Amino acid sequence: MEEVTLQKMREHIGWESGDGILAPGGSISNLYAAMVARYNRFPEVKMRGMRAVPELAMFTSKDAHYSVKKSAAILGMGMDSVYLVDTDNRGKMLPEHLEQLIGLARSRGQEPFFVSATGGTTVLGAFDRWTRSRTCASGTGSGSTWTRPGRGGVLLSQRHRHLLAGVQRADSVTWNPHKLMGVTLQCSVILLPERHIGLLQGCNGMQADYLFQQDKQYDVSYDTGDKSIQCGRRNDIFKLWLSWRAKGDEGYGEQVDYLIDLANYLCQQLKKRPGYEMVMEKPDFVNVCFWYVPEKFRSMKPGPERDSVINELVKRDFPCGRWPQSEGADDGEWHHNGGLPTPRQPAELLPHDRVSNPAATEADIDFLLDCIEKYSAEIFDDQPDEAGLGGGGGPAQ
Amino acid sequence: MEEVTLQKMREHIGWESGDGILAPGGSISNLYAAMVARYNRFPEVKMRGMRAVPELAMFTSKDAHYSVKKSAAILGMGMDSVYLVDTDNRGKMLPEHLEQLIGLARSRGQEPFFVSATGGTTVLGAFDRWTRSRTCASGTGSGSTWTRPGRGGVLLSQRHRHLLAGVQRADSVTWNPHKLMGVTLQCSVILLPERHIGLLQGCNGMQADYLFQQDKQYDVSYDTGDKSIQCGRRNDIFKLWLSWRAKGDEGYGEQVDYLIDLANYLCQQLKKRPGYEMVMEKPDFVNVCFWYVPEKFRSMKPGPERDSVINELVKRDFPCGRWPQSEGADDGEWHHNGGLPTPRQPAELLPHDRVSNPAATEADIDFLLDCIEKYSAEIFDDQPDEAGLGGGGGPAQ
């Protein structure tokens, strides 16, 4: 079941065959990616450790998931070995800066061995320009280059799979079906192309023959335990296999399209309704980042000065990060009444929302925005007019 | 729920308070143990990697789980940095040899930083003599000393918790409730005593504030994500919490006692029935290791010569590790008819069995032994009498 499903995923990437294994989450998948990259370049590291190899350098977008840095800490390379590449105004890694950092690492005597190009960053949902980054990295003679599309489900959408164009040229791909594909935690995969078959086994195999006997009644290639950094594992593939059987490629493609359509609906609403400012005019993906500016501040010129006034008021009144108490309501009212299905970041006034629940509808989006406007009015109508902006009423406390 | 359950586990160890986190399996728990030990001794490793610290050395029993070596490979120390301590005839680490190996590592300029003392080895079920090992390690000036009782459930048995005597002196304890406590995979815990509170956070914390916001409506000490090497995690604590609520300390204690009693029943039967030879006369725990010698070989003197005759016959007739085909039965008959609930190791004729299913009864033990005898007779009665031992019938093929 695992073999069939992983093969299907590899085919969607564009690989005829290859290798792979399930991991307990995307962070551990990224750990695998860095670890097999290191082993591929310097197999002696397995027996002799980091002291036997040159000083290494890793590269990823500054907007990438923190697990890339965490991997460096775990693997004994140290977080200092991770170079964070600047991003453009759409959150995509700047290939020129990547090239520059690779050169910098080399000039310090470090060995660049791993580039993690993100597919769907956490906040902006950015997909790094893989092909250009790869070309720039190759230009510097960087050895291995690897990618990490956290949201591999986008490959199942004919309309949107271009976001991961060129992904088949990667040396490894991590894919988290617990995200876009809606499989429950944990369900994360690390995949390798045909040329890297055997790498997982070489890197992680311990030949613990008291556990992994080779004298089975079946084809022992189905025994994948020795390729894992775990011993016993949950059967995480089953739920993915089952939902894929139920939905099919087409059903999953439609699900991805629907989520992106819903994110587009959110964008349209944000443009229609007063007070919203978008971080990016047209997001690529399901992440929609925006600010809501309460009515009384809208007369101020947009910019750092206005933002700092809003932030100061928010910080002053919610010093412990608590939302205000309405009469008769407990602290959690905003959540308990089904209010805000969005990460609460009061210091920056709700800057991002991610559409990832395929059961959500346009009505849910409307409800979300209604809530933002209603509670914002309740909060700021009660503010004394310290900023001299008009509006406001009773005492702050 | 996690906090309550981990605290309960710590109290059973003998710690008033402390820290801990759930991990996806015992191997990853052991990885945590080695990683926090390294960080405790050399916090600079997090930022600057293994190049910033002295060459390190780890120590564990040669019968310990392979994950200790795997941890060394992952963490960039290299498997060569793991010293395997000899064991006595009951599978327990020899404290004198540990002391000697620590001295050897020092003489090579390595820094001993981690001793993993096993609680229940995979094959023999041995519990290392913790207190003596610790004393020997201290004598050499070894820095941190840590333990790994895979089968922490034994602490819940008043009759048997002495097997882990002194465990409260460890610097970390990994406990796998998916073993003796019968919780389904995955459910594994790493626990730290009070003096190491903050170590997990320090070692693994990334302060990824775009994910782990501190402005929550609840006590943020309940946000344990940043202490983990994962990001999103399964709620593995729930099933443990629930079964502990259902069974209680007393129920779990009785379960452990029952399993050990059942293992003792197996030992009694092995002594009563002809043809069985025990590896250890009286096992400490639920692992019972034994050989079964088919009738036709019993006239031979026990020893390497007899064992080699048996092994040769087994290898010749089961070259691919397949069990023989009985008439009308497929390869898997032995398993399919509910036959042998035991690891199949034909080359050494069923040397070990572990009693870990609390639903098993004495009748199941009897059935297991009946099967061994029945199938063994079927196999060896058909052998030509090449060894000149009498018995046997038709052609081998």
Side-chain angles (χ1 to χ4, degrees), chain A residues 70 79, chain B residues 19-21 32 36 39 46 192 196-208 212 214 220-229:
Chain A
K70 190 164 254 186
M79 287 164 66
Chain B
D19 202 353
I21 201 161
Y32 269 107
V36 293
Y39 177 78
K46 181 177 178 181
L192 304 174
H196 293 314
I197 288 176
L199 202 53
L200 278 168
Q201 176 67 40
C203 180
N204 297 321
M206 290 283 138
Q207 289 83 44
F212 302 111
Q214 296 300 301
V220 292
S221 73
Y222 290 116
D223 283 357
T224 56
D226 206 23
K227 295 195 293 194
S228 169
I229 60 167

Side-chain angles (χ1 to χ4, degrees), chain A residues 151-169:
Chain A
R151 292 167 229 283
V154 78
L155 290 169
L156 302 177
S157 158
Q158 294 310 316
R159 273 164 52 200
H160 301 285
R161 60 168 288 135
H162 65 86
L163 288 167
L164 283 172
V167 67
Q168 74 281 359
R169 292 176 60 202

Side-chain angles (χ1 to χ4, degrees), chain B residues 197-271:
Chain B
I197 288 176
L199 202 53
L200 278 168
Q201 176 67 40
C203 180
N204 297 321
M206 290 283 138
Q207 289 83 44
D209 57 8
Y210 66 97
L211 279 173
F212 302 111
Q213 297 104 0
Q214 296 300 301
D215 55 342
K216 298 286 173 62
Q217 288 167 321
Y218 51 82
D219 178 356
V220 292
S221 73
Y222 290 116
D223 283 357
T224 56
D226 206 23
K227 295 195 293 194
S228 169
I229 60 167
Q230 304 180 260
C231 183
R233 283 186 297 146
R234 275 184 59 80
N235 182 5
D236 290 315
I237 198 67
F238 181 69
K239 56 197 174 190
L240 174 58
W241 177 86
L242 193 65
S243 36
W244 215 325
R245 290 286 292 178
K247 295 183 179 180
D249 285 5
E250 203 181 327
Y252 260 131
E254 283 167 11
Q255 177 173 320
V256 172
D257 290 346
Y258 176 72
L259 290 170
I260 297 181
D261 286 347
L262 207 56
N264 286 335
Y265 174 78
L266 172 57
C267 293
Q268 287 160 15
Q269 293 305 308
L270 295 174
K271 285 171 195 167

Side-chain angles (χ1 to χ4, degrees), chain A residues 24 38 46-47 50-51 53 70 74-76 79-80 186 204 213 215 217 228 230 331 344-346, chain B residues 24 38 46-47 50-51 53 70 74 76 79-80 186 204 210 213 215 217 228 230 331 345-346:
Chain A
R38 176 174 76 171
K46 181 178 178 180
M47 297 307 292
M50 293 299 294
R51 302 178 73 84
V53 307
K70 190 164 254 186
I74 295 169
L75 296 173
M79 287 164 66
D80 286 350
Q186 56 189 38
N204 297 321
Q213 297 105 2
D215 55 344
Q217 287 168 322
S228 168
Q230 303 181 261
D331 276 4
R344 298 174 305 94
Q345 303 189 346
Chain B
R38 176 174 76 173
K46 181 177 178 181
M47 297 309 292
M50 292 299 294
R51 303 178 73 84
V53 307
K70 191 164 252 185
I74 296 169
M79 286 164 65
D80 286 349
Q186 56 189 39
N204 297 321
Y210 66 97
Q213 297 104 0
D215 55 342
Q217 288 167 321
S228 169
Q230 304 180 260
D331 278 3
Q345 303 189 345

Side-chain angles (χ1 to χ4, degrees), chain B residues 147-330:
Chain B
T147 192
R148 179 198 88 84
R151 294 169 227 285
V154 78
L155 291 168
L156 302 176
S157 157
Q158 294 310 315
R159 273 165 51 200
H160 301 284
R161 61 167 289 135
H162 65 87
L163 287 167
L164 284 172
V167 66
Q168 74 283 357
R169 292 175 60 200
D171 291 295
S172 74
V173 168
T174 67
W175 181 332
N176 294 323
H178 66 253
K179 294 190 182 282
L180 218 49
M181 295 173 79
V183 179
T184 53
L185 272 177
Q186 56 189 39
C187 190
S188 180
V189 176
I190 164 92
L191 295 159
L192 304 174
E194 188 167 15
R195 67 183 178 280
H196 293 314
I197 288 176
L199 202 53
L200 278 168
Q201 176 67 40
C203 180
N204 297 321
M206 290 283 138
Q207 289 83 44
D209 57 8
Y210 66 97
L211 279 173
F212 302 111
Q213 297 104 0
Q214 296 300 301
D215 55 342
K216 298 286 173 62
Q217 288 167 321
Y218 51 82
D219 178 356
V220 292
S221 73
Y222 290 116
D223 283 357
T224 56
D226 206 23
K227 295 195 293 194
S228 169
I229 60 167
Q230 304 180 260
C231 183
R233 283 186 297 146
R234 275 184 59 80
N235 182 5
D236 290 315
I237 198 67
F238 181 69
K239 56 197 174 190
L240 174 58
W241 177 86
L242 193 65
S243 36
W244 215 325
R245 290 286 292 178
K247 295 183 179 180
D249 285 5
E250 203 181 327
Y252 260 131
E254 283 167 11
Q255 177 173 320
V256 172
D257 290 346
Y258 176 72
L259 290 170
I260 297 181
D261 286 347
L262 207 56
N264 286 335
Y265 174 78
L266 172 57
C267 293
Q268 287 160 15
Q269 293 305 308
L270 295 174
K271 285 171 195 167
K272 266 191 204 161
R273 296 181 180 223
Y276 292 96
E277 292 178 7
M278 298 196 58
V279 174
M280 287 194 299
E281 203 52 33
K282 198 173 159 17
D284 286 335
F285 195 47
V286 294
N287 301 42
V288 181
C289 299
F290 60 91
W291 286 271
Y292 177 64
V293 182
E295 195 167 359
K296 69 191 288 188
F297 301 106
R298 285 181 211 156
S299 58
M300 287 186 80
K301 202 170 147 243
E305 197 192 333
R306 184 197 64 185
D307 295 346
S308 120
V309 169
I310 301 179
N311 281 340
E312 281 312 307
L313 282 174
V314 170
K315 274 187 207 154
R316 192 196 63 188
D317 290 317
F318 318 133
C320 314
R322 285 170 176 273
W323 292 95
Q325 295 202 356
S326 305
E327 201 180 343
D330 69 7

Side-chain angles (χ1 to χ4, degrees), chain A residues 55-59 72 77-83 110 113, chain B residues 47:
Chain A
E55 200 171 335
L56 302 180
M58 298 166 71
F59 304 84
M77 299 189 265
M79 287 164 66
D80 286 350
S81 71
V82 183
Y83 287 79
Q110 294 171 325
F113 84 107
Chain B
M47 297 309 292

Side-chain angles (χ1 to χ4, degrees), chain B residues 334-348:
Chain B
W334 282 33
H335 277 182
H336 294 167
N337 69 4
L340 287 181
T342 179
R344 296 176 305 95
Q345 303 189 345
E348 299 172 39

